[in-house]
């Protein structure tokens, strides 16, 4: 029985630097050891700093690592690097070591370039290794997305605005980043299974938790109300607190509340000594909507260890104040989890109002039209449906995630993006754009390239054509 081949370890900058250091120093130990002992100019720690990893876009165009002339002069007489050392660096290999395309001595020092195509190919073929956390951390994180909490009715793709969709995509992206760091991550709220909003999110590649349609949170809502009625921050009817701030009442519909329940959020904020909240938070009237939100949070964190629980509220700038109120109300119930707000900028669509469902339909139609313009009658069948679906999903993510989360987004570059995604030469120019310092964008592009490659190879296979080596 043949043993399965072990997967290649992921490329690491640290592994590459260690291999370069060994290659550069191996022949230098005997040549310069006596000089270093006499002069005492460099400590052991300084001698280990032989290589520098480039990070600027300008320098990355012609080198990835540099050993400065000052280092070379210390290691070799006159700074002359032996040809055997250069040869050893060019043939550098090892576990986690990036492939080297060349090295040369320049006025700045010894520069080394990485084979980008070979490195990207290795990443694409072994993506799982890069997504696996280096170590499992003890902390647990709950990502709460207020856009998905029920208002007067459960959310639907038609009721979800583009700004709210952006917060959901950012929440999903944050979860992936945290899991990559070894954290245990969960989402709130759980959505009704087999609902339109669950199907919509899955279309976009978002695996959001679902709950049974028959499941109800009413009992926990009553518990939250009871806790707030008994808490020390409640304002009794006889206490005539007059607030002129915009935090006097929470937005929402009463929803059949038995009696008015008011909580002084300013006292909560002052007594718990919380920083960064809006100073105009005052007395708010608790609505049914808020109790439902609190019940979901309480349920989601029921089994969290108190000392290691962190809750991230990912919300839009339009709903920031409301979410601060909810966070303070939850604190008033006795919740001790660390809470942080991630505020996302708006999505601007001048001259039109568009729901998330309409936006996805529009992008899918535009992608199909662009594909038909390029490939004509070939665009038909399940294979092309899958290609258009994946490319549409990638386009939506690019449009809404390519800008810093606090900045506004204005979707409107579709014609350029569609051309890039449907024309083979343009795909190359798109992925070779000189933005190596923007790692997150480059990593997203690697995912897109991988999806493109798999879909094209699948299409070729269905036509009984051999795979294209260049892809």
């Amino acid at each position: 029985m043949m043993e399965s081949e072990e997967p290649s370890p992921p490329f690491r900058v640290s592994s590459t630097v260690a291999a370069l250091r060994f290659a550069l120093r191996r022949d230098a130990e005997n040549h310069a050891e006596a000089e270093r002992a006499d002069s005492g100019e460099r400590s052991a720690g300084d001698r280990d700093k032989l290589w520098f990893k480039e990070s600027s876009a300008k320098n990355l165009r012609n080198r990835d690592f540099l050993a400065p002339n000052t280092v070379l002069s210390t290691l070799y007489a006159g700074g002359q690097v032996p040809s055997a050392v250069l040869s050893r660096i060019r043939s550098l290999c090892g576990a986690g070591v990036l492939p080297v395309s060349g090295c040369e001595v320049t006025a700045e020092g010894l520069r080394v370039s990485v084979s980008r195509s070979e490195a990207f190919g290795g990443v694409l073929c072994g993506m799982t290794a890069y997504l696996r956390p280096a170590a499992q951390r003890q902390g647990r994180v709950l990502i709460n997305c207020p856009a998905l909490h029920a208002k007067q009715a459960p959310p639907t793709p038609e009721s979800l605005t583009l700004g709210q969709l952006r917060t959901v995509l950012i929440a999903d992206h944050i979860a992936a980043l945290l899991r990559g760091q070894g954290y245990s991550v969960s989402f709130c709220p759980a959505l009704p299974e087999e609902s339109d909003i669950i199907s919509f999110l899955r279309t976009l590649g978002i695996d959001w938790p679902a709950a049974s349609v028959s499941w109800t949170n009413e009992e926990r809502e009553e518990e939250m109300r009871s806790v707030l009625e008994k808490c020390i921050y409640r304002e009794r009817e006889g206490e005539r607190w007059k607030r002129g701030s915009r935090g006097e009442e929470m937005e929402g519909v009463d929803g059949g509340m038995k009696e008015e329940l008011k909580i002084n959020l300013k006292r909560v904020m002052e007594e718990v000594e919380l920083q960064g909240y809006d100073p105009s938070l005052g007395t708010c009237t608790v609505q049914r909507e808020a109790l439902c939100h609190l019940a979901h949070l309480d349920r989601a964190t029921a089994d969290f260890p108190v000392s290691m629980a962190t809750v991230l509220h990912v919300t839009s700038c339009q709903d920031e104040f409301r979410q601060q109120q909810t966070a303070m109300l939850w604190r008033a119930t006795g919740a001790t989890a660390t809470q942080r707000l991630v505020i996302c900028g708006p999505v601007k669509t001048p001259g039109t109002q568009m729901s998330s469902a309409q936006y996805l339909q529009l992008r899918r139609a535009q992608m199909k039209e662009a594909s038909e313009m390029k490939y004509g009658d070939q665009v038909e069948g399940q294979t092309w449906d899958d290609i258009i679906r994946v490319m549409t999903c990638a386009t939506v993510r690019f449009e809404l995630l390519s800008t810093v989360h606090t900045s506004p987004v204005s979707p409107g570059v579709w014609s350029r993006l569609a051309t890039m995604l449907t024309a083979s030469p343009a795909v190359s120019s798109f992925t070779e754009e000189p933005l190596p310092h923007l790692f997150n964008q480059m990593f997203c592009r690697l995912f897109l390239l991988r999806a493109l490659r798999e879909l094209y190879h699948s299409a070729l296979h269905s036509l009984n054509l051999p795979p294209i080596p260049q892809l």
Side-chain angles (χ1 to χ4, degrees):
M1 182 176 179
M2 295 182 63
E3 295 184 1
S4 59
E5 185 177 347
E6 290 292 329
S8 301
F11 293 129
R12 302 290 184 194
V13 172
S14 57
S15 301
T16 306
V17 170
L20 286 171
R21 183 168 58 238
F22 178 75
L24 191 62
R25 289 175 58 92
R26 195 168 76 178
D27 284 351
E29 292 295 334
N30 295 332
H31 290 83
E33 189 66 34
E35 294 182 13
R36 289 200 301 268
D38 292 338
S39 62
E41 292 178 357
R42 297 171 63 87
S43 66
D46 291 335
R47 291 197 301 270
D48 285 338
K49 298 177 182 178
L50 306 180
W51 292 94
F52 294 91
K53 174 68 181 75
E54 290 291 359
S55 58
S56 73
K58 178 181 178 181
N59 291 335
L60 281 169
R61 291 191 178 97
N62 53 52
R63 68 185 185 229
D64 293 281
F65 299 92
L66 178 70
N69 276 327
T70 53
V71 171
L72 300 179
S73 299
T74 304
L75 295 175
Y76 303 103
Q80 298 298 315
V81 183
S83 58
V85 174
L86 297 177
S87 177
R88 190 160 57 244
I89 290 176
R90 293 189 184 99
S91 59
L92 205 65
C93 61
V97 177
L98 286 161
V100 174
S101 62
C103 68
E104 62 178 329
V105 178
T106 65
E108 296 89 356
L110 176 58
R111 69 182 185 188
V112 173
S113 299
V114 169
S115 175
R116 306 285 177 84
S117 59
E118 190 177 345
F120 285 177
V123 172
L124 290 170
C125 293
M127 189 69 73
T128 305
Y130 295 89
L131 301 179
R132 189 183 303 118
Q136 193 67 33
R137 298 178 186 265
Q138 296 299 316
R140 295 191 62 178
V141 180
L142 175 70
I143 298 182
N144 177 42
C145 199
L148 297 179
H149 281 269
K151 305 299 188 288
Q152 298 181 24
T156 65
E158 290 73 23
S159 65
L160 198 68
T161 67
L162 289 183
Q164 291 173 329
L165 175 61
R166 188 188 187 196
T167 65
V168 177
L169 289 171
I170 289 175
D172 181 65
H173 188 66
I174 291 174
L177 293 176
L178 289 173
R179 288 189 180 116
Q181 295 296 318
Y183 289 98
S184 175
V185 181
S186 54
F187 289 108
C188 179
L191 298 172
E193 60 182 1
E194 305 303 327
S195 60
D196 290 342
I197 189 65
I198 280 286
S199 300
F200 177 78
L201 295 180
R202 286 174 181 167
T203 300
L204 292 173
I206 300 174
D207 186 18
W208 201 270
S212 172
V213 177
S214 61
W215 174 80
T216 177
N217 218 17
E218 292 182 0
E219 183 177 346
R220 201 177 290 266
E221 289 176 26
E222 289 299 323
E223 292 177 4
M224 290 292 100
R225 176 177 173 82
S226 177
V227 170
L228 288 173
E229 286 175 338
K230 299 173 184 177
C231 78
I232 61 174
Y233 306 108
R234 181 184 181 184
E235 288 194 351
R236 307 293 174 179
E237 187 176 346
E239 299 174 353
R240 301 297 182 183
W241 296 79
K242 300 297 182 181
R243 304 288 183 185
S245 68
R246 61 190 177 104
E248 185 173 345
E249 290 190 358
M250 290 192 71
E251 301 176 20
V253 178
D254 182 84
M257 298 288 289
K258 297 177 182 178
E259 61 176 302
E260 198 172 67
L261 174 61
K262 292 186 177 183
I263 303 296
N264 191 325
L265 302 181
K266 193 174 186 66
R267 284 184 57 199
V268 180
M269 186 168 53
E270 291 174 347
E271 292 186 14
V272 185
E273 297 182 352
L274 297 173
Q275 304 295 323
Y277 285 82
D278 195 316
S280 66
L281 285 174
T283 299
C284 76
T285 300
V286 182
Q287 307 290 352
R288 175 67 179 274
E289 174 189 325
L291 290 177
C292 180
H293 198 141
L294 295 177
H296 275 288
L297 289 171
D298 185 66
R299 177 177 180 268
T301 57
D303 60 342
F304 272 37
V306 176
S307 60
M308 295 181 292
T310 300
V311 178
L312 296 180
H313 304 286
V314 184
T315 188
S316 64
C317 55
Q318 294 93 337
D319 292 333
E320 177 183 2
F321 188 78
R322 179 203 295 262
Q323 193 55 40
Q324 288 196 21
Q325 289 179 316
T326 303
M328 285 298 97
L329 276 179
W330 196 31
R331 181 69 69 177
T333 66
T336 57
T338 302
Q339 299 186 70
R340 297 286 185 268
L341 270 71
V342 179
I343 310 302
C344 307
V347 178
K348 299 181 178 180
T349 54
T352 181
Q353 292 294 327
M354 187 181 299
S355 70
S356 295
Q358 293 171 325
Y359 170 64
L360 185 63
Q361 291 170 0
L362 174 64
R363 290 298 183 247
R364 184 185 292 115
Q366 290 172 325
M367 175 60 73
K368 184 175 182 180
E369 180 182 359
S371 301
E372 290 172 343
M373 289 176 61
K374 175 68 179 178
Y375 299 102
D377 295 337
Q378 300 178 44
V379 184
E380 60 180 15
Q382 186 60 47
T383 299
W384 270 104
D385 289 344
D386 291 341
I387 291 174
I388 292 171
R389 175 181 54 80
V390 172
M391 299 294 280
T392 301
C393 175
T395 300
V396 169
R397 285 180 172 268
F398 266 109
E399 280 195 308
L400 299 184
L401 294 178
S402 60
T403 306
V404 176
H405 72 279
T406 54
S407 301
V409 173
S410 299
V413 295
W414 171 253
S415 58
R416 174 174 176 267
L417 190 56
T419 302
M420 289 178 175
L421 294 177
T422 55
S424 298
V427 170
S428 176
S429 66
F430 183 61
T431 55
E432 290 174 6
E433 186 178 348
L435 294 173
H437 58 295
L438 300 178
F439 178 78
N440 287 339
Q441 289 191 23
M442 183 60 71
F443 202 65
C444 290
R445 289 173 184 178
L446 288 175
F447 269 109
L448 178 59
L449 282 173
R450 182 187 184 188
L452 277 171
R453 185 182 65 176
E454 291 176 352
L455 287 170
Y456 275 119
H457 282 182
S458 175
L460 290 170
H461 179 72
S462 65
L463 297 173
N464 294 320
L465 296 175
I468 302 175
Q470 290 84 353
L471 295 179

